[in-house]
């Protein structure tokens, strides 16, 4: 049985206790073991000119792999450099947790998306903005619908940007059908399922913010678009979110690295934890060159 770490922040571990138990149970069925580790208890850097890692002040012996369910890019990179196989990899995490980088990468591939600006508030002047209000301002590193603002005036925009003035943001034109999106769940670079999320009282459709969810069956052209996006990544598990245009066609919105599965579990019998653990077990059996 190959041993792995399941890395969470301590507050997120409390909120996701049932999902953690689910992952551990499915890992055991797949011939894996998972030990819960808290990101806050790691200390890492360089000791005696070599990369080092400590947990609760003890130098650690690495397991075979780690499932990273928190956003700590430097820790992820350290673990990989020390030889640990990560799900998701640090490279996937780095792009998926930066909305600007995700849009920049996928625009090169011709993926449809809303007109978008990448800005740093301290170097941005509203008179240089090439489109009008209303618009959506998003912290590039935000997730779960947090740090996302509908702004209708320059004053509202400045108030939003002032919350994180030294971080990167994206500004986007409003989607045609605000308050509705489709989340596509991907495991092992394959589509596992999709849900339609909607809200009648918020331009954000996130389930965690009170939105409604229902199972969604992808049309052929939608599946093809998702697969074009997947081609650019080696995804362990992630969510890819799409807005809808007037004809119901997909418009790429964002990608979630540490994706929650409550909507899929609530609307289907798809066992995404089992799919994920089976994918990890299969990857660990393959030669590194694969």
């Amino acid at each position: 049985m190959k041993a792995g770490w399941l890395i969470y922040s301590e507050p997120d571990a409390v909120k996701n206790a049932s999902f953690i138990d689910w992952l551990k149970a499915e890992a055991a069925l797949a011939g894996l073991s998972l030990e819960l580790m808290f990101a806050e208890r790691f200390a890492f850097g360089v000791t005696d000119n070599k990369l080092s890692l400590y947990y609760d002040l003890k130098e650690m012996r690495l397991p075979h792999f780690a499932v990273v369910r928190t956003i700590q890019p430097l820790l992820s990179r350290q673990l990989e450099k020390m030889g640990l196989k990560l799900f998701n990899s640090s490279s996937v995490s780095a792009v998926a947790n930066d909305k600007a980088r995700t849009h920049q990468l996928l625009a090169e591939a011709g993926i449809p998306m809303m007109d978008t600006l990448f800005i740093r508030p301290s170097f941005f002047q509203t008179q240089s903005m090439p489109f009008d209000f209303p618009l959506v301002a998003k912290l590039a590193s935000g997730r779960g619908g947090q740090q996302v603002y509908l702004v209708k005036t320059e004053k509202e925009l400045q108030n939003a940007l002032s919350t994180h003035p030294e971080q990167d943001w994206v500004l986007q034109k409003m989607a045609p059908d605000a308050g509705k999106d489709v989340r596509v769940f991907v495991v092992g670079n394959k589509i596992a399922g999709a849900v339609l999320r909607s809200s009648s009282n918020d331009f954000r459709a996130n389930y965690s913010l009170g939105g409604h969810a229902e199972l969604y069956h992808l049309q052929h052209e939608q599946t093809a678009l998702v697969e074009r996006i997947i081609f650019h990544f080696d995804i362990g598990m992630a969510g890819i979110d799409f807005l809808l245009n007037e004809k119901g066609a997909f418009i790429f919105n964002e990608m979630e690295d540490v994706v929650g599965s409550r909507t899929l579990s609530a609307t289907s019998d798809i066992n995404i934890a089992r799919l994920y653990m089976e994918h990890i077990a299969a990857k660990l059996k393959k030669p590194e060159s694969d």
Side-chain angles (χ1 to χ4, degrees):
M1 182 173 283
K2 293 193 173 182
W5 287 342
L6 178 59
I7 303 176
Y8 269 88
S9 71
E10 292 192 64
D12 283 347
V14 173
K15 291 186 292 185
N16 292 278
S18 61
F19 187 64
I20 289 170
D21 290 341
W22 188 17
L23 287 175
K24 285 183 174 181
E26 294 297 341
L29 292 175
L32 308 171
S33 66
L34 281 178
E35 180 183 2
L36 180 61
M37 308 289 281
F38 299 116
E40 295 89 341
R41 298 188 188 180
F42 283 103
F44 60 97
V46 179
T47 303
D48 296 329
N49 303 318
K50 295 181 180 179
L51 295 177
S52 57
L53 180 75
Y54 302 88
Y55 190 82
D56 286 342
L57 303 180
K58 296 178 181 178
E59 202 159 5
M60 298 300 297
R61 182 175 180 177
L62 296 178
H64 295 96
F65 68 99
V67 178
V68 182
R69 297 286 297 174
T70 188
I71 302 171
Q72 296 287 341
L74 194 59
L75 173 60
S76 291
R77 191 65 181 147
Q78 180 92 355
L79 294 174
E80 281 184 337
K81 285 184 172 293
M82 295 180 72
L84 198 56
K85 180 75 173 175
L86 297 193
F87 300 90
N88 288 314
S89 69
S90 66
S91 58
V92 169
S93 181
V95 175
N97 291 308
D98 186 325
K99 292 178 176 60
R101 290 186 63 183
T102 312
H103 279 78
Q104 194 175 62
L105 171 67
L106 295 180
E108 288 186 298
I111 302 300
M113 58 188 67
M114 301 303 299
D115 289 352
T116 303
L117 289 181
F118 313 137
I119 71 163
R120 178 68 63 90
S122 55
F123 293 96
F124 172 70
Q125 296 179 340
T126 52
Q127 58 263 37
S128 66
M129 189 169 65
F131 44 77
D132 296 325
F133 297 99
L135 54 84
V136 177
K138 305 178 183 179
L139 185 67
S141 60
R143 56 187 294 261
Q146 302 300 317
Q147 294 88 42
V148 178
Y149 304 90
L150 171 61
V151 293
K152 300 177 181 179
T153 65
E154 181 175 343
K155 179 64 174 177
E156 289 180 355
L157 175 59
Q158 294 300 337
N159 288 341
L161 299 180
S162 68
T163 61
H164 296 84
E166 296 303 324
Q167 295 190 42
D168 293 328
W169 289 73
V170 296
L171 306 182
Q172 293 182 319
K173 283 187 175 181
M174 285 288 295
D177 196 354
K180 182 182 293 186
D181 71 8
V182 174
R183 167 160 289 179
V184 179
F185 293 86
V186 177
V187 177
N189 271 29
K190 295 180 181 179
I191 297 170
V195 294
L196 173 66
R197 307 184 301 179
S198 58
S199 175
S200 58
N201 55 14
D202 198 318
F203 74 101
R204 299 166 296 178
N206 301 70
Y207 194 63
S208 60
L209 299 177
H212 171 75
E214 60 187 88
L215 191 65
Y216 186 85
H217 299 285
L218 298 175
Q219 300 171 14
H220 175 74
E221 61 271 18
Q222 294 171 335
T223 298
L225 180 61
V226 176
E227 290 174 345
R228 284 174 58 196
I229 294 172
I230 292 172
F231 175 80
H232 295 276
F233 301 94
D234 183 11
I235 296 171
M237 185 170 83
I240 305 176
D241 297 346
F242 296 90
L243 305 169
L244 300 167
N245 70 11
E246 297 91 338
K247 297 181 179 180
F250 274 0
I251 306 168
F252 173 76
N253 189 32
E254 62 187 48
M255 189 169 170
E256 285 266 0
D257 166 38
V258 185
V259 65
S261 66
R262 283 183 295 167
T263 52
L264 192 63
S265 299
T267 59
S268 77
D269 58 1
I270 297 169
N271 190 332
I272 198 166
R274 178 168 297 175
L275 294 175
Y276 196 16
M277 292 303 107
E278 289 178 345
H279 164 69
I280 291 173
K283 288 287 283 187
L284 293 174
K285 289 178 181 177
K286 291 183 178 180
E288 189 61 34
S289 59
D290 291 350

